[in-house]
Amino acid sequence: GDSVTQMEGPVTLSEEAFLTINCTYTATGYPSLFWYVQYPGEGLQLLLKATKADDKGSNKGFEATYRKETTSFHLEKGSVQVSDSAVYFCALRYSSASKIIFGSGTRLSIRP
Amino acid sequence: DSGVTQTPKHLITATGQRVTLRCSPRSGDLSVYWYQQSLDQGLQFLIQYYNGEERAKGNILERFSAQQFPDLHSELNLSSLELGDSALYFCASSKDRGGEKLFFGSGTQLSVL
């Protein structure tokens, strides 16, 4: 079945470091891909999305490119801040379906 | 603030009991989704309602049920609770059936002792 696999956390970085959180997916069709972020004590928020191959989603300095050939949607940021500390979820969804399938989440901690 | 309200924030109960979790979606949103977040299972889709009708079902146990009322708020009922039901239960809402962008509440932490 369809699934999303993320790198295990926690990931700990120093402020201004470069961030990559890996995400790969298994899908029978061509889903839309998402990154959601969950700040402490809050619900998930949509961070960015890409709806087709080679699309790049971007928001708040984060980027991810939909790579069909490698079935990946890695999240990157050039210079992280303490305020980026959160749990990040990669997800997929087909346009014909309601269900969003989430990965297990990657906890990110940024040291000042 | 996502605009999605969930109550209560925390719930502590005993095995075998029944609880009701409540969700008020964002103003104007017709779809409500329920998710369960646990350490071992991650974030699991339970069920979706659209404008009062069940639209999609995920990994929802038979002991669990949900409904969406005419004012669009939703309730998730969990009965015959087991220790393994302890989790964070999220409600999310979206304007349309398809759920292109979900807005999540801050969740209800359920502890079954």
Side-chain angles (χ1 to χ4, degrees):
Chain A
D2 301 328
S3 65
V4 177
T5 303
Q6 293 180 233
M7 64 188 288
E8 286 201 22
V11 174
T12 304
L13 297 172
S14 297
E15 207 165 19
E16 299 182 4
F18 183 85
L19 167 72
T20 301
I21 300 179
N22 290 338
C23 169
T24 57
Y25 66 91
T26 302
T28 51
Y30 303 100
S32 295
L33 301 175
F34 306 84
W35 278 100
Y36 275 80
V37 58
Q38 184 180 24
Y39 297 105
E42 298 182 14
L44 282 70
Q45 304 174 24
L46 179 64
L47 180 60
L48 55 83
K49 69 175 185 183
T51 57
K52 61 182 189 298
D54 299 325
D55 267 3
K56 179 187 281 189
S58 60
N59 186 23
K60 299 182 181 180
F62 290 90
E63 291 182 343
T65 301
Y66 190 139
R67 301 278 188 212
K68 190 160 72 84
E69 63 276 12
T70 54
T71 61
S72 65
F73 193 56
H74 304 322
L75 182 68
E76 296 182 337
K77 186 175 185 183
S79 176
V80 292
Q81 306 300 313
V82 172
S83 58
D84 294 327
S85 298
V87 181
Y88 292 81
F89 291 87
C90 185
L92 69 81
R93 177 188 157 267
Y94 291 102
S95 59
S96 58
S98 303
K99 185 169 75 170
I100 294 184
I101 298 171
F102 287 90
S104 55
T106 301
R107 182 174 298 278
L108 173 67
S109 294
I110 307 300
R111 291 188 300 255
Chain B
D1 182 9
S2 67
V4 178
T5 304
Q6 287 188 248
T7 56
K9 288 197 182 311
H10 302 277
L11 199 47
I12 301 173
T13 188
T15 54
Q17 295 298 303
R18 181 179 188 276
V19 297
T20 298
L21 314 184
R22 183 188 167 102
C23 169
S24 293
R26 284 189 330 151
S27 177
D29 283 0
L30 299 179
S31 276
V32 169
Y33 305 74
W34 286 98
Y35 280 84
Q36 179 193 57
Q37 185 179 33
S38 59
L39 285 175
D40 55 344
Q41 297 281 334
L43 199 59
Q44 297 284 318
F45 169 71
L46 296 179
I47 197 163
Q48 179 205 1
Y49 279 82
Y50 177 78
N51 204 18
E53 296 200 0
E54 184 183 302
R55 163 115 175 107
K57 216 166 188 175
N59 303 322
I60 188 165
L61 300 172
E62 284 193 15
R63 300 183 285 109
F64 296 0
S65 65
Q67 54 184 323
Q68 186 179 29
F69 295 87
D71 67 352
L72 300 177
H73 92 271
S74 178
E75 293 181 356
L76 179 67
N77 300 296
L78 315 177
S79 61
S80 303
L81 284 168
E82 302 175 359
L83 295 178
D85 297 328
S86 296
L88 190 52
Y89 291 84
F90 283 110
C91 168
S93 73
S94 69
K95 270 198 168 24
D96 55 9
R97 286 186 187 85
E100 178 68 14
K101 181 174 180 179
L102 299 186
F103 293 85
F104 280 79
S106 53
T108 294
Q109 180 68 59
L110 174 66
S111 298
V112 182
L113 306 178

